[in-house]
Amino acid sequence: MPSSTSSTSKTSTKPLLISAGVALAAITLGIVSWQATAPDAAGSAGSGSGAVAAPRTDPDAELKALARRESGDKLAVGGADAPVVLIEYSDFKCGYCAKFARDTEPELVKKYVADGTLRIEWRNFPIFGAESEAAARAAWAAGQQDRFEAFHSAAYADGSKDKGFAEPRLVELAREAGVPDLERFKADLAGEQAAAALKKDQEEGYRIGVTSTPSFLLNGRPIAGAQPLDTFTAAIARAKAEAAKQ
């Protein structure tokens, strides 16, 4: 979803590489995302009504399978065997991503990650240009020293994006996040592994039809925009109940 200075979604010009198995779900995600970010959407921007898309399969198996559940994932919190996985596609220059990170995500971590219900997997999905991509690589680099969450919090702090994400600022954020080896951080930031990790996340998002940030998959079901906490708690409760029946 776009930053707070705009009410329209940022759409990529890259082709959508959608496989037959996820095409319908991808179309659903794109439509819901557009509805949540359209200028005439009801309510505040980023919180359009009907944001939880009705599943077209039961469950959306191929979208659900995008959860990596890797125990050593540096860009994830929560157990790899948690019954509910929230995948978040976000951009550090996105104002609504920042709103979600400050207002909603900490509550989800406190309530659901702590008790083993929820795992959150972040996907870097920069859509606002070079600084967005640099911030995404920096977040990955911080993660290599187990400081992704702290970097994520620092980069999404109130007013942070207004300072930009040029390299000196990224190093400052890494220092604020407690990254122990700043020289390694700078090398990782500029390295091929960071670029490859970013490309992997981007291609995944484009493949399923993500066009704006933040966009989410919760056990394979799309949620578009920085929805209220109640939207996520209801979706998590439903997903947990469904997982218990399987």
Side-chain angles (χ1 to χ4, degrees):
M1 184 172 294
S3 67
S4 56
T5 59
S6 171
S7 60
T8 57
S9 63
K10 177 78 171 182
T11 303
S12 168
T13 59
K14 296 186 179 181
L16 301 182
L17 307 176
I18 305 175
S19 69
V22 299
L24 189 55
I27 291 169
T28 299
L29 178 55
I31 291 172
V32 172
S33 182
W34 177 82
Q35 289 174 339
T37 59
D40 58 351
S44 61
S47 57
S49 62
V52 181
R56 300 303 181 95
T57 61
D58 189 19
D60 299 86
E62 294 195 48
L63 290 177
K64 187 176 180 180
L66 292 174
R68 295 171 187 169
R69 293 186 177 275
E70 298 169 357
S71 59
D73 191 340
K74 302 289 190 179
L75 274 65
V77 295
D81 60 349
V84 183
V85 178
L86 178 69
I87 302 174
E88 174 187 344
Y89 300 88
S90 57
D91 183 321
F92 284 104
K93 286 183 71 69
C94 164
Y96 298 127
C97 298
K99 176 177 175 57
F100 175 79
R102 292 195 300 266
D103 298 346
T104 304
E105 203 162 61
E107 295 302 314
L108 298 181
V109 171
K110 185 192 309 181
K111 185 171 183 179
Y112 297 110
V113 174
D115 75 358
T117 297
L118 181 67
R119 174 179 175 85
I120 301 175
E121 297 184 358
W122 288 277
R123 305 287 193 263
N124 283 311
F125 196 73
I127 56 177
F128 291 108
E131 283 201 354
S132 288
E133 294 195 358
R137 293 194 303 272
W140 181 90
Q144 302 317 292
Q145 299 186 55
D146 298 316
R147 303 304 295 167
F148 173 81
E149 289 180 76
F151 184 94
H152 174 275
S153 296
Y156 279 135
D158 192 18
S160 180
K161 77 181 183 68
D162 298 331
K163 299 178 182 179
F165 293 116
E167 184 172 339
R169 171 64 178 155
L170 294 174
V171 174
E172 178 184 339
L173 286 170
R175 184 180 293 109
E176 183 179 337
V179 174
D181 187 341
L182 293 177
E183 292 306 312
R184 178 189 170 189
F185 168 81
K186 288 187 282 187
D188 285 342
L189 165 62
E192 293 183 2
Q193 284 185 290
L198 174 56
K199 182 179 179 182
K200 180 180 179 180
D201 286 356
Q202 288 177 307
E203 288 183 344
E204 178 181 293
Y206 289 126
R207 187 174 70 250
I208 64 170
V210 174
T211 59
S212 63
T213 56
S215 288
F216 307 88
L217 291 175
L218 196 147
N219 275 16
R221 289 177 174 168
I223 299 176
Q227 300 298 319
L229 178 62
D230 287 350
T231 297
F232 288 93
T233 57
I236 291 167
R238 181 179 63 188
K240 182 180 181 181
E242 289 174 350
K245 296 176 183 178
Q246 296 175 3

